[in-house]
Amino acid sequence: MDSASGLPTLAVIGATGAVGAVMLDLLSTRRDMYGEIRLVGSDRSAGRILRVRGRSVEAVPLTREVFDGVDIAAFAVPTPVAAEWAPVAAARGAVVVDGSPAFRSGPGVPLVVPEVNPERVRERPRGIVAGPGCTTLSMIVALGALHRRYGLRELVAASYQAASSAGRSGTDTLYAQLEKVGGDRALGNRAGDIRGVVGELGPFPAPLAMNVVPWTGTPAPGGWTSDEIAVRNETRKVLGLPNLKVSATCVRVPVVTAHSVAVHAVFEERTNQREAQEILARSPGVVLCDNPETHEFPTPSDVVGTDPTWAGRVRRSLDDPRALDLFLCGDNLRKGAALNTAQIAELVAAEQTG
Amino acid sequence: MDSASGLPTLAVIGATGAVGAVMLDLLSTRRDMYGEIRLVGSDRSAGRILRVRGRSVEAVPLTREVFDGVDIAAFAVPTPVAAEWAPVAAARGAVVVDGSPAFRSGPGVPLVVPEVNPERVRERPRGIVAGPGCTTLSMIVALGALHRRYGLRELVAASYQAASSAGRSGTDTLYAQLEKVGGDRALGNRAGDIRGVVGELGPFPAPLAMNVVPWTGTPAPGGWTSDEIAVRNETRKVLGLPNLKVSATCVRVPVVTAHSVAVHAVFEERTNQREAQEILARSPGVVLCDNPETHEFPTPSDVVGTDPTWAGRVRRSLDDPRALDLFLCGDNLRKGAALNTAQIAELVAAEQTG
Ligand SMILES: NC(=O)c1ccc[n+]([C@@H]2O[C@H](COP(=O)([O-])OP(=O)(O)OC[C@H]3O[C@@H](n4cnc5c(N)ncnc54)[C@H](OP(=O)(O)O)[C@@H]3O)[C@@H](O)[C@H]2O)c1
Ligand SMILES: NC(=O)c1ccc[n+]([C@@H]2O[C@H](COP(=O)([O-])OP(=O)(O)OC[C@H]3O[C@@H](n4cnc5c(N)ncnc54)[C@H](OP(=O)(O)O)[C@@H]3O)[C@@H](O)[C@H]2O)c1
C-alpha cells in the first residue's frame, strides 16, 4: 500500500507493448484508484520514458525486486514471460491480474469478466486472476446478458479478427502490406498476385492486405486452432457452463484494431428480437447499434478506441424461435485486453482499499 | 442454330460488365460449344469492341431483335433489366440462363448448380433457368457433396464477401479507398478516422478499406438482409430441402474478388473428419486445401481467378458428432456468377446439339 495516499501500489508488466500502451491510456483517463504506479518492460526498454496520469515515468526492467511493495501486478506480456513471472509476483504478495493465455485454463485461477462474473475475483488461491482472450472478450459481455435471460445452450461463432491482436508486429505488418498494395488495380484479380507483392508475412501465415486468413493461433488437435479451442473453454468457464456446445472459426481480416464476431446462439428459452435488443441496450458494457435501415450496425472502424462491446444485426432465427443471430464488435486492445485487466485490477483495488 | 456450324447461337446480355468480362474469358478458354456469339450491353456500350474466342466482336444494344435466331441467352445484367428482358428472350424462342436474382425464387424456374442438380435444367416451363447468388454458390457444391453422404439438417454460415460482387462500382470503390488509406499509420486507432479519409462509400453502407461491413443486400423483414434470406431460400431450393434450417450473416470484407464462408453444418448422420475431407477431395468442382500445419487453407488471394470451390479447415464439432465446421472460398465472378451460368448454358447447348 502506498503510505502517502493509502491507495494500492500498481505495477504494469509489459507497459511498453500494444496492450500496455492502452493500459497507460486507461490509467490516465479513468478514476484514479492507485498510489504509486510502476511501469515495467523488458531489458530492451529499460530507461524509456512513458507517460501515465499526465506524468513521465521511467520504464524499469523485469526483476524480482520490482514487485517489492506492489499490491497489484497487471501483466501484459507474452505467455512464457507471464508463466514465469506471475508466480514470482504472487509469491512476493502482489495480486496478479494476467491478460495472457498462461493461466486462463488453470485450476485455482478464476477467469474473470467483471460485467459477467465479478464475484469470482475473490476466489484466487494462487494469487492470480486471469482474463479471457480477445476473441472471447469481443462477445462474452453481450452473450452473458442474453444468457441470464434465455439460458445459453449452444454457440456458433465466426470471427473477423484485427491485426493488432498479434501485438505490435501484427499492426506493423498490416500497415507495411497496405502501403505496398495501395490502390494498385493490377492486383486482386489473379491468384497469387497479392502474395507476390505484400512482402513480409510477419506473424500471419498468409498475406493479410486485401485478403482474409482463416487461421489464428497455433495448431490444436482435430484441425482446430488454439484460439478456437480457447473460445470454447473460456466461454464455458466464464459463464459456468462446462457442457456448453461451442464451435468457433477464427479468421484474421485486414483491420488494424477491433474484432468482430458473427454469432449464432441457441438458448433454452424462446427468444424475441425486440426483447433481446432491449436486454443488450440496457446491459452495462454493451451498446446496441441496430438500425440497418439507416445503416446503423457496428463496424470496426466505428468502434475502435471505445470501451464497450457493440451489438447489432440482432435477428431471431427464422427456423428456431430459441436461436438468435447477431454481430458483435469490440476493441481488442481495450475490452479485449487492457480494459478487462484494468477492470479486474479495480475490483481488487476496491477490496484492498476497504 | 448456327447454320454453318450446326452449333447453337449464344447471346451474352451484359457482356460489358464485371460478370460479362469473366464470361467472355470463359467462352474463350473452355471447349467451344457455340456457333455465333452475340455480345449485348446497354446503349452506353453500343459499338464497344470486345474480345471473345480470339476475335473482336462489337457490342450491340439490347433490343427485341437481338434475340432473333438466338438459342441460348446468358443474362448478366442488373435485376430489373433481367426481369424485363428475360421473358422477351424466352418468348422469341431462346432458352434464358439468368444469373441475377430476378427469377431465382420464381415458381416454374429451376435453380441450377450443375454439380448438384443438373437434371433440373430440363424442367423449364417458362424457358428460363436461374443460377443462385454468389454467396450460395461459394458453398453449395461442397455442401451438396457432404449432404449426399450425411444428409444436411442445419446450416449456419458467416460470409466474408468481396467488393466485386457489388459489380464494377464495388471494385472501383475499394481500390479508390485503399489508395487513400495506403499504409497511413495514423489511421485505424481512433473511431471514425477511416470514415473521414476513405472518400466515396460507393455501393457500400460504410467504409470498406481497413474495415468489415456486416451488411450486404437490401433490408428484409426481421432485421435480415436480402442476401441472407437468399442464402436460405437458394440452399433449400437447390438441395431440395424445403425445411432446412438456415441462419446466415453476410459481411463485406476489403477483398477485391473471391468470397469466403465459415460454415457450421449439422447433418442427420454422424460425420468423420477424414471421410469428409476425402468426399470433398474427390468431388468435381471442389478442391480440398486442408493442411493447417503447413499453412494450407484457402484464402481469397490464392483462389481468385480459379474455377473450383476451395475447402479447408474441415473439423468435426467437439460437441456434436453430426456437425462439421469448415471454411470455403470461391471466386464470386467465376463459380459465383459467370462460370455457373456458362455451365448451365453448356447443359442446354449439349441438349440442343444432340
Ligand atoms: N493484442 C491484443 O489484442 C491482446 C488481447 C488479449 C490479450 N493479449 C495478451 O497480452 C499480452 C501482451 O500482448 P501485446 O499485444 O501487448 O504484445 P506486444 O505488443 O508484443 O508487447 C509485449 C510486451 O511484453 C514485454 N516483454 C516481452 N518480453 C519480455 C521479457 N522477457 N521481460 C519483460 N517484458 C517483456 C514487451 O516489452 P518490450 O517493449 O521491452 O519488448 C512489451 O511491453 C500477450 O500475452 C497477449 O496474448 C493481447
Ligand atoms: N458480381 C458478382 O459477383 C455477381 C455474382 C452473382 C450474380 N451477379 C449478378 O450478375 C448481374 C451483373 O452483375 P455485374 O457484377 O456484372 O454488374 P456490372 O459490372 O454493373 O455490369 C452490368 C452489366 O449490365 C449491363 N446493363 C446495365 N443496364 C442495362 C440496360 N438497361 N440494358 C442493357 N444492359 C444493361 C451493363 O452494360 P453497360 O456496360 O453498357 O452499362 C453491364 O454489361 C447482376 O444481376 C448481379 O446480381 C453478380
Side-chain angles (χ1 to χ4, degrees):
Chain A
M1 202 64 62
D2 189 70
S3 56
S5 63
L7 294 171
T9 294
L10 175 75
V12 179
I13 320 302
T16 52
V19 175
V22 175
M23 179 73 81
L24 300 192
D25 182 38
L26 291 173
L27 289 169
S28 305
T29 52
R30 292 167 73 87
R31 190 165 71 83
D32 197 359
M33 318 271 299
Y34 307 101
E36 186 191 344
I37 295 183
R38 262 174 234 175
L39 304 184
V40 184
S42 77
D43 296 345
R44 294 178 292 277
S45 303
R48 241 184 84 186
I49 304 296
L50 304 169
R51 297 284 297 178
V52 65
R53 298 189 293 190
R55 267 163 285 170
S56 297
V57 178
E58 193 177 314
V60 296
L62 182 54
T63 59
R64 299 182 159 266
E65 294 66 39
V66 112
F67 298 106
D68 287 347
V70 167
D71 299 290
I72 303 170
F75 275 69
V77 292
T79 311
V81 183
E84 182 183 346
W85 286 91
V88 173
R92 290 179 99 89
V95 176
V96 170
V97 184
D98 183 31
S100 89
F103 300 96
R104 283 172 195 161
S105 58
V109 176
L111 189 67
V112 175
V113 180
E115 295 88 342
V116 182
N117 62 348
E119 68 286 356
R120 285 304 167 95
V121 87
R122 288 178 180 265
E123 299 160 24
R124 46 173 196 259
R126 297 169 65 187
I128 302 174
V129 180
C134 45
T135 314
T136 304
L137 280 169
S138 305
M139 48 183 173
I140 196 80
V141 181
L143 273 183
L146 295 171
H147 166 59
R148 277 192 295 278
R149 169 66 182 84
Y150 299 121
L152 188 61
R153 217 181 62 187
E154 191 177 341
L155 172 68
V156 180
S159 72
Y160 303 72
Q161 292 180 224
S164 66
S165 81
R168 282 169 309 184
S169 77
T171 306
D172 289 347
T173 301
L174 178 56
Y175 277 127
Q177 292 188 353
L178 284 171
E179 204 170 323
K180 292 223 171 72
V181 301
D184 186 344
R185 279 158 204 259
L187 290 176
N189 296 312
R190 279 189 312 271
D193 273 2
I194 291 169
R195 209 173 261 274
V197 169
V198 292
E200 295 294 324
L201 299 183
F204 310 119
L208 186 56
M210 295 172 81
N211 207 16
V212 303
V213 182
W215 186 267
T216 77
T218 52
W224 298 88
T225 74
S226 54
D227 271 19
E228 290 160 354
I229 300 294
V231 166
R232 180 165 173 264
N233 292 343
E234 293 167 13
T235 305
R236 288 172 159 199
K237 189 167 175 177
V238 172
L239 297 182
L241 294 171
N243 300 313
L244 183 69
K245 291 165 88 172
V246 181
S247 280
T249 297
C250 287
V251 180
R252 186 84 60 184
V253 295
V255 163
V256 175
T257 299
H259 284 1
S260 310
V261 192
V263 168
H264 176 79
V266 187
F267 297 91
E268 301 291 349
E269 311 267 324
R270 289 175 70 93
T271 64
N272 175 288
Q273 184 196 21
R274 192 67 56 87
E275 185 189 52
Q277 288 168 322
E278 283 163 9
I279 289 168
L280 293 167
R282 64 166 187 260
S283 293
V286 182
V287 173
L288 181 74
C289 174
D290 194 10
N291 194 355
E293 312 256 345
T294 56
H295 294 173
E296 281 169 55
F297 33 70
T299 83
S301 84
D302 291 320
V303 318
V304 59
T306 70
D307 285 351
T309 304
W310 295 69
R313 302 294 330 278
V314 180
R315 294 148 287 161
R316 191 169 86 165
S317 162
L318 296 167
D319 302 309
D320 181 353
R322 293 160 311 143
L324 291 171
D325 288 85
L326 59 163
F327 190 80
L328 300 170
C329 209
D331 187 318
N332 52 293
L333 296 174
R334 292 192 159 242
K335 185 59 192 177
L339 175 61
N340 199 64
T341 299
Q343 288 173 313
I344 296 171
E346 284 165 18
L347 290 177
V348 177
E351 215 183 88
Q352 292 178 340
T353 313
Chain B
M1 202 64 64
D2 189 71
S3 56
S5 63
L7 293 171
T9 294
L10 175 76
V12 179
I13 320 303
T16 53
V19 175
V22 175
M23 179 72 79
L24 300 192
D25 181 39
L26 291 172
L27 289 170
S28 305
T29 52
R30 293 166 74 86
R31 190 164 72 82
D32 198 358
M33 318 272 297
Y34 306 101
E36 186 192 344
I37 295 182
R38 261 172 236 176
L39 304 184
V40 184
S42 77
D43 296 346
R44 294 178 291 278
S45 304
R48 242 184 83 187
I49 303 297
L50 303 170
R51 298 284 297 176
V52 66
R53 298 189 293 190
R55 267 164 286 169
S56 297
V57 177
E58 193 178 312
V60 295
L62 183 53
T63 59
R64 298 182 160 265
E65 293 66 39
V66 111
F67 298 107
D68 287 346
V70 167
D71 298 291
I72 303 170
F75 274 69
V77 292
T79 311
V81 183
E84 182 182 346
W85 287 90
V88 173
R92 290 178 99 87
V95 176
V96 170
V97 184
D98 183 32
S100 88
F103 300 96
R104 284 173 194 160
S105 58
V109 176
L111 189 67
V112 176
V113 180
E115 294 88 343
V116 182
N117 63 348
E119 69 285 356
R120 284 306 167 95
V121 87
R122 288 178 181 266
E123 299 160 24
R124 45 172 197 260
R126 296 169 64 185
I128 302 173
V129 180
C134 45
T135 314
T136 304
L137 279 169
S138 305
M139 49 183 173
I140 196 79
V141 180
L143 273 183
L146 295 170
H147 167 59
R148 278 192 294 279
R149 168 65 182 87
Y150 299 121
L152 188 61
R153 216 181 63 187
E154 190 176 340
L155 172 67
V156 180
S159 72
Y160 302 72
Q161 293 181 221
S164 66
S165 81
R168 283 168 308 184
S169 77
T171 306
D172 289 347
T173 300
L174 177 57
Y175 277 127
Q177 292 188 353
L178 284 171
E179 204 172 320
K180 291 224 171 73
V181 302
D184 186 345
R185 279 157 205 261
L187 290 175
N189 296 313
R190 279 189 310 273
D193 274 3
I194 292 169
R195 209 172 261 274
V197 169
V198 292
E200 295 293 322
L201 298 183
F204 310 119
L208 186 56
M210 297 173 80
N211 207 16
V212 303
V213 183
W215 185 268
T216 77
T218 52
W224 299 88
T225 75
S226 55
D227 271 18
E228 290 160 354
I229 299 294
V231 166
R232 180 164 172 264
N233 293 343
E234 294 167 12
T235 305
R236 288 173 158 199
K237 190 168 176 177
V238 172
L239 296 182
L241 294 171
N243 300 313
L244 183 70
K245 291 165 88 171
V246 181
S247 279
T249 297
C250 286
V251 180
R252 186 85 59 184
V253 294
V255 163
V256 175
T257 299
H259 284 1
S260 310
V261 192
V263 168
H264 176 79
V266 187
F267 297 91
E268 301 290 349
E269 310 266 323
R270 287 175 69 93
T271 65
N272 175 289
Q273 183 196 23
R274 192 66 57 87
E275 186 189 52
Q277 289 168 322
E278 282 162 9
I279 290 167
L280 293 167
R282 66 166 187 260
S283 293
V286 182
V287 174
L288 181 75
C289 175
D290 193 11
N291 194 355
E293 312 256 345
T294 56
H295 294 173
E296 282 169 55
F297 33 70
T299 82
S301 84
D302 291 320
V303 318
V304 59
T306 70
D307 285 350
T309 303
W310 296 69
R313 302 293 329 279
V314 179
R315 294 148 286 162
R316 189 168 87 164
S317 162
L318 295 168
D319 302 309
D320 181 354
R322 296 160 309 143
L324 290 171
D325 288 84
L326 59 162
F327 190 79
L328 300 170
C329 209
D331 187 318
N332 51 293
L333 297 173
R334 292 191 159 245
K335 185 60 191 177
L339 175 61
N340 199 64
T341 299
Q343 288 174 313
I344 297 172
E346 284 165 19
L347 290 177
V348 177
E351 216 183 87
Q352 293 178 341
T353 313

